[in-house]
Amino acid sequence: MVDVLAFGEHAGGKIAPITADLIAAARGVGGRVAVVLMGGDLTGLEAQTAPLGVDKVYTVQHPLLAGESVDMLVSALEQVCRRVQPRVLLLGKTAIGRDVGPCVAFRLGVGAAQDSVAVEAGGQTGRIVATRPVYGGTAMAKVTFGSSNPQVVIMRPGAVERGSVPGAGEGVAEEAEAIEVELDESIRKVRHVETVRKESERMRLDGASVVVSGGRGLRGPEPFAMLEELAGLLGGAVGASRAACDAGWVDHSYQIGLTGATIRPDLYVTVGISGASQHMAGCSGAKRIVAINKDADANIFKEASFGVVGDWSKVLPSFMEAVRDLVRS
Amino acid sequence: MAVRRDAVANIIVCVKQVPDPEAPPSAFRIDDGGKRIADSPGVSSVLNGFDENAVEAALRIKDAAGGRITVLSLGSAFAADVVKKPLSMGADDLVLLQDETFDDLDSYGTALVLSEALKRIGEFDLVLCGRQASDWDNAQAPLGIAELLGIPCITVAQKVEINGGVVVAERVLSGGYEVVEADMPALVTVSNELGEPRYPTLRGIMTAGRKQPTVWSADDLGIDRARLERRIRIMDLFLPVRDRQCEVIQGEDDADSGRLLALRLREEKLI
Ligand SMILES: Cc1cc2nc3c(=O)[nH]c(=O)nc-3n(C[C@H](O)[C@H](O)[C@H](O)COP(=O)(O)OP(=O)(O)OC[C@H]3O[C@@H](n4cnc5c(N)ncnc54)[C@H](O)[C@@H]3O)c2cc1C
Ligand SMILES: Nc1ncnc2c1ncn2[C@@H]1O[C@H](COP(=O)(O)O)[C@@H](O)[C@H]1O
């Protein structure tokens, strides 16, 4: 019997960080926790789950699962759910999980709680309660499930403190089981043609310990050169609000927020960003937020630890000069 | 499903009316039941932003290759100027699925009703949706519609084109995109990376004003209400209070404040 089944993601022969998030969340729910790994070739992956603390690892290896086709993954996961009958199915809100989770739920006729930041076993009913930001983060909802299983929860990456859940991260003695699934080419409805990576030298946003972001208040692309320099001084990465991306000042891969990147830096410096809830949804995990904004009433000052109310074109140059001196000394 | 294979495509765009997501958080109120956002004067109704991107995607296809665009919206009450906006941008027809029972649907119920309406419309090549609705941020209804109709689903597109009976789309990935294709009929969800939706023209607004929407109720669609039972139940909805005490650094002038900010951050060992 398995109570909670986590859909483990992996890339390049390594377990992806989201998988550890999911296992930590699963441990918080309680009961027997299993992870399912799917792919064309899972060699060496199973062993990497041991330190994460699961009771069981299911492996589903099939040539048609190479290449991350959502259609194939949905069919395979549906078959696994019918076999294993978990009470709870956890996925990550990643490019894959946010589609696979709801599709499996629809196929099984059950509900899915998308983009959840907390999950717990509910009171008397024993049903799962998921907490999700809604209205772009302006409101929070606690939702629960009807009577059918699995209860599908799609977790926002980084939402669960991995260390904070008892049992997570401890190597629990685990069993392994390979599950055979039936797949054929006719299942693939969406065909992959090519992947286009925008070559960039710039530091990745996820994982950066310092992020410097600009918004509509910068009024154009030029000031981003200053932000690049500042990020360079601080060993950090540059991000942006959606308004700055939509305006074409920087590429959309800079976007931080609900529909952009999620960051958890130690220091997040925002310049000319108002702090809309949809933006804050991507940076609420930042330890300290610094705001430079000329509007004292801007929402960003409700979330920032340090701020300057002023015009960035005056504040930023002297800030950078002082930073330059400080990092040199 | 009857699918016509004319030269021009039949495109259906699903649009939702939502409370303005960019209204200041302080304007939002929760109603007494604690389960939904209350109507409040500070929060107007707008068309979901990503759905405007979806309308734009449909219009670009129509501009390039011709086509007929039908807009489909589901709800219990509509503001005419909101749901008619796609018509004023250049869409051809509007179908409203309006019923009191549609007041409280989860993603499953929403997808079910929309898929029944699509079956009734019958002849379509492409269904376009927004990537998510900015009220409940579910990003689920389109996946459900495609599942229920058994058609391909491509999510988070920044470009959508059709080429014969095939839809080709660019799917946004972090740090790039992926080109994918599927046989039609298919469903594609559209993201803001597609680019700004066009403004309604004056002529468009006048034509839209004259157009009468087709309205279908749950009974018209022959929907058994028991199937609409919520799979996801709302226990509580609340407005979190965020008020970190912000230390405002104030120097003699803006430049001085910038310098002091750096010193303060060094004191805190943040830089
Ligand atoms: C469904 C949905 C999803 C979204 N997803 C995201 C997302 O992922 N990421 C995101 O960022 N947004 C997202 N948004 C958009 C979000 O709601 C805001 O519109 C956006 O974040 C605003 O960007 P901004 O702060 O740069 O611009 P604005 O809100 O226009 O703020 C500009 C700020 O600059 C300040 N300013 C102007 N001039 C100066 C100056 N000279 N010096 C100093 N300050 C100045 C102003 O006081 C103002 O506060 C989403 C919206 C929706 C509806
Ligand atoms: N009530 C509705 N009427 C029409 N389209 C909808 C409705 N709800 C959702 N959709 C479509 O599905 C997309 C995603 O919505 P959601 O799954 O609710 O986030 C929206 O952007 C719309 O295109």
Side-chain angles (χ1 to χ4, degrees):
Chain A
M1 241 286 286
V2 159
D3 297 293
V4 190
L5 180 65
F7 174 77
E9 291 192 33
H10 53 90
K14 290 215 161 55
I15 298 284
I18 185 68
T19 308
D21 288 10
L22 296 179
I23 293 170
R27 284 270 159 234
V29 170
R32 265 176 71 80
V33 174
V35 64
V36 56
L37 298 172
M38 300 187 171
D41 178 9
L42 299 174
T43 317
L45 278 173
E46 209 181 288
Q48 293 176 38
T49 57
L52 301 175
V54 285
D55 300 303
K56 187 153 187 175
V57 181
Y58 292 102
T59 51
V60 184
Q61 199 162 286
H62 194 291
L64 290 177
L65 289 172
E68 302 184 335
S69 152
V70 167
D71 295 323
M72 294 294 175
L73 289 168
V74 169
S75 176
L77 188 57
E78 180 203 358
Q79 294 177 51
V80 169
C81 285
R82 291 194 192 278
R83 262 283 293 287
V84 176
Q85 305 264 326
R87 279 194 314 120
V88 182
L89 174 66
L90 296 184
L91 302 96
K93 192 195 138 204
T94 61
I96 295 170
R98 69 177 182 220
D99 285 0
V100 171
C103 285
V104 169
F106 277 104
R107 221 167 263 193
L108 297 170
V110 299
Q114 179 76 276
D115 197 12
S116 298
V117 293
V119 57
E120 60 202 317
Q124 307 114 330
T125 60
R127 304 306 283 165
I128 290 296
V129 177
T131 307
R132 25 184 331 249
V134 295
Y135 287 83
T138 295
M140 298 289 276
K142 281 190 185 286
V143 300
T144 191
F145 291 80
S147 54
S148 341
N149 287 337
Q151 303 164 79
V152 181
V153 184
I154 300 136
M155 300 291 299
R156 181 178 286 191
V160 185
E161 283 293 341
R162 279 182 221 159
S164 68
V165 180
E170 292 163 23
V172 180
E174 58 179 81
E175 297 164 41
E177 184 182 333
I179 296 185
E180 298 278 328
V181 292
E182 280 177 34
L183 298 173
D184 62 66
E185 255 318 314
S186 71
I187 291 168
R188 190 192 311 274
K189 294 200 226 88
V190 176
R191 300 180 292 271
H192 176 87
V193 180
E194 60 171 329
T195 299
V196 181
R197 297 256 162 232
K198 293 175 196 155
E199 280 314 324
S200 84
E201 299 287 292
R202 67 193 203 93
M203 201 174 137
R204 290 178 60 85
L205 280 170
D206 45 343
S209 60
V210 177
V211 176
V212 181
S213 272
R216 179 147 41 206
L218 293 185
R219 298 245 166 70
E222 300 81 16
F224 276 92
M226 284 171 84
L227 298 190
E228 296 281 358
E229 191 195 337
L230 179 59
L233 288 170
L234 299 174
V238 177
S241 72
R242 178 172 143 187
C245 299
D246 279 353
W249 302 339
V250 286
D251 185 77
H252 271 106
S253 60
Y254 283 67
Q255 185 179 319
I256 288 165
L258 184 65
T259 51
T262 305
I263 55 168
R264 301 172 69 76
D266 296 325
L267 177 65
Y268 183 43
V269 181
T270 67
V271 187
I273 289 183
S274 63
S277 58
Q278 294 90 353
H279 183 79
M280 302 320 290
C283 60
S284 54
K287 284 216 185 71
R288 298 298 185 89
I289 297 176
V290 172
I292 300 175
N293 191 306
K294 69 172 185 191
D295 175 8
D297 293 328
N299 190 58
I300 190 76
F301 290 114
K302 294 210 172 79
E303 316 231 11
S305 303
F306 300 98
V308 170
V309 179
D311 187 337
W312 66 264
S313 65
K314 309 236 165 48
V315 180
L316 196 57
S318 63
F319 176 68
M320 285 177 61
E321 197 185 308
V323 170
R324 237 178 259 123
D325 291 346
L326 288 168
V327 288
R328 263 196 229 114
S329 64
Chain B
M1 217 175 311
V3 179
R4 212 174 54 191
R5 282 274 170 267
D6 299 354
V8 301
N10 269 311
I11 306 171
I12 318 264
V13 189
C14 298
V15 305
K16 186 174 191 187
Q17 177 180 318
V18 294
D20 183 358
E22 306 211 28
S26 57
F28 284 85
R29 302 268 175 278
I30 308 286
D31 86 353
D32 295 339
K35 294 196 173 161
R36 60 172 69 210
I37 294 286
D39 290 332
S40 84
V43 187
S44 51
S45 288
V46 297
L47 206 62
N48 182 43
F50 297 120
D51 301 352
E52 289 192 13
N53 295 121
V55 172
E56 176 62 31
L59 290 167
R60 289 185 192 174
I61 294 172
K62 184 176 166 178
D63 291 345
R68 185 152 192 96
I69 302 173
T70 304
V71 175
L72 186 59
S73 193
L74 159 67
S76 55
F78 297 102
D81 57 330
V82 175
V83 286
K84 280 195 165 180
K85 187 171 180 189
L87 295 178
S88 58
M89 291 165 72
D92 300 289
D93 302 299
L94 176 62
V95 177
L96 297 177
L97 312 176
Q98 186 168 15
D99 201 298
E100 270 173 33
T101 40
F102 299 163
D103 185 37
D104 185 34
L105 299 178
D106 64 6
S107 295
Y108 195 94
T110 303
L112 185 79
V113 178
L114 287 168
S115 66
E116 287 301 323
L118 285 163
K119 282 185 202 160
R120 172 145 182 192
I121 292 171
E123 292 182 342
F124 61 86
D125 303 281
L126 186 60
V127 182
L128 295 177
C129 290
R131 70 178 282 179
Q132 70 195 52
S134 61
D135 47 6
W136 286 80
D137 293 316
N138 276 319
Q140 299 206 73
L143 297 163
I145 295 168
E147 274 294 324
L148 292 165
L149 295 176
I151 62 174
C153 182
I154 297 170
T155 55
V156 196
Q158 60 175 11
K159 189 169 181 188
V160 191
E161 283 172 349
I162 60 181
N163 187 352
V166 174
V167 59
V168 184
E170 288 179 11
R171 198 171 171 254
V172 181
L173 302 175
S174 64
Y177 62 90
E178 173 190 31
V179 182
V180 294
E181 58 170 42
D183 296 338
M184 298 197 289
L187 184 150
V188 180
T189 82
V190 178
S191 189
N192 58 292
E193 286 85 347
L194 180 106
E196 291 284 313
R198 68 195 62 187
Y199 287 105
T201 58
L202 195 58
R203 221 181 91 213
I205 294 169
M206 285 163 61
T207 321
R210 284 193 299 271
K211 275 191 183 150
Q212 284 302 316
T214 305
V215 183
W216 290 336
S217 67
D219 288 340
D220 291 336
L221 292 170
I223 286 174
D224 172 3
R225 287 174 171 77
R227 292 176 69 200
L228 300 179
E229 195 194 340
R230 276 185 161 272
R231 274 130 178 104
I232 291 285
R233 305 199 177 129
I234 302 155
M235 297 171 66
D236 192 16
L237 183 66
F238 56 98
L239 300 168
V241 195
R242 289 194 193 82
D243 220 345
R244 274 197 205 180
Q245 274 309 317
C246 179
E247 185 181 323
V248 175
I249 313 282
Q250 172 79 64
E252 282 167 20
D253 55 23
D254 282 356
D256 193 37
S257 305
R259 190 180 61 84
L260 294 177
L261 175 65
L263 296 176
R264 186 73 185 91
L265 296 182
R266 169 47 67 99
E267 236 171 69
E268 291 285 322
K269 302 196 169 56
L270 288 167
I271 59 177

